[in-house]
């Protein structure tokens, strides 16, 4: 089996590449040309990957990669994925996160309509939630340009599946984290901040809304669900999440207590980090994924946060 992963240098892409290699796949990655190449997440498996330069903004480059690779499966994980940036760069977010999906689907339709396609949808599409927990039939109400763009990407995938009979699916993934998460995301911001304070590199950690609640799982578990979706006889979309929610305050407490720190002595609430429109509560009902795919999360919330804290302590110690 041959797989092509867009966004292979990101958190999910690196875990998915590892997982597929273990399954015996030939794994190719699509990467953008950049003045500063950042491949640290896949450095340990780089000799087992084939990377191709292409861009979701450039239709011809996508077609060229598909023709060169001849994949059985395409996992579209590339996007402008940081919610706060989507308010600062809403047009670019739309180009990558929304229209980029259309370009990939069009390329698949013309190069090889037998390719199985996975689209990375997001719980941010639920936004101002209409019901809790959220399942595959919960209406979307996105609260950021990122969420709006993801809704477009989700429905264009459904449209191409129904219009052209493509095997195209979307995984509506709730928040999933790991030691490979970017520093701009709140989980890594907290675990890195706690590690820095523990090592006397910092004294305080500014954060936004401590009461926002999320369904946080482990990225390594979630990429398995992506693969499982493409193993089915019928193309369908699935909600993937743990079904348990925690507040940012809970996250902070776990991270700081792991290092014997009192978070109240170091965390300060800063209005600069508040969203223009907040998403207050996300919780997954992943019962269909559990029943139909046989997927189950294996790493719990507290275990995951402790893994992230330990990894950040080690990083900072090595950086001395």
């Amino acid at each position: 089996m041959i797989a092509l992963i867009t966004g292979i240098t990101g958190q999910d892409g690196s875990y998915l590449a590892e997982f597929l290699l273990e399954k015996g796949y030939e794994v190719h990655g699509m990467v953008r040309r950049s003045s500063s190449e950042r491949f640290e997440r896949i450095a340990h498996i780089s000799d087992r990957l084939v990377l191709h330069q292409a861009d979701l903004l450039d239709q011809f480059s996508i077609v060229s990669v598909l023709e060169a690779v001849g994949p059985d499966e395409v996992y579209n994980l590339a996007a402008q994925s940081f919610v706060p940036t989507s308010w600062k760069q809403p047009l670019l977010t739309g180009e990558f996160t929304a229209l980029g999906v259309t370009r990939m689907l069009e390329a698949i339709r013309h190069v090889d309509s037998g390719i199985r396609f996975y689209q990375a949808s997001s719980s941010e599409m639920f936004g101002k939630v209409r019901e809790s927990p959220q399942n595959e039939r919960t209406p979307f109400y996105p609260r950021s340009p990122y969420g709006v763009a993801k809704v477009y990407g989700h429905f264009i995938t459904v449209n191409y599946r129904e219009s052209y009979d493509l095997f195209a699916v979307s995984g509506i993934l709730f928040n999933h984290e790991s030691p490979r998460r970017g520093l701009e995301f709140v989980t890594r911001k907290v675990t890195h901040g706690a590690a820095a304070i523990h090592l006397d590199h910092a004294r305080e950690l500014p954060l936004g809304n401590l009461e926002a609640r999320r369904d946080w799982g482990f990225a390594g578990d979630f990429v398995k669900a992506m693969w499982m979706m493409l193993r089915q006889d019928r193309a369908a979309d699935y909600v993937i999440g743990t079904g348990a929610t925690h507040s940012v305050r809970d996250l902070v407490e776990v991270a700081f207590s792991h290092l014997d720190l009192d978070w109240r002595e170091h965390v300060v609430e800063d209005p600069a980090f508040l969203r223009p429109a907040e998403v207050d509560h996300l919780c997954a009902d992943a019962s269909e994924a559990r029943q139909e795919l046989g997927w189950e999360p294996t790493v719990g919330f507290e275990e995951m946060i402790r893994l992230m804290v330990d990894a950040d302590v080690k990083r900072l110690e090595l950086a001395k």
Side-chain angles (χ1 to χ4, degrees), residues 216-231:
W216 276 300
F218 176 58
D221 287 336
F222 282 46
V223 299
K224 184 177 181 181
M226 302 176 187
W227 175 76
M228 286 177 159
M229 288 183 212
L230 296 190
R231 304 271 59 71

Side-chain angles (χ1 to χ4, degrees), residues 84 87 124 127 143 175 184-187 189-190 205-214 216 246-253 263 267-282:
W87 275 289
E124 286 285 334
R143 298 271 280 171
N175 294 69
E184 68 272 25
F185 291 88
V186 69
T187 46
K189 186 176 181 181
V190 168
L205 174 63
L207 293 173
N209 181 11
L210 296 182
E211 306 311 319
R213 300 186 68 85
R214 295 291 185 272
W216 276 300
H246 301 272
S247 67
V248 175
R249 188 185 301 275
D250 295 335
L251 162 65
V252 169
E253 288 178 350
W263 69 272
V267 172
V268 295
E269 294 189 66
D270 187 340
F273 293 105
L274 296 177
R275 295 182 178 188
E278 182 59 89
V279 174
D280 295 312
H281 186 272
L282 293 174

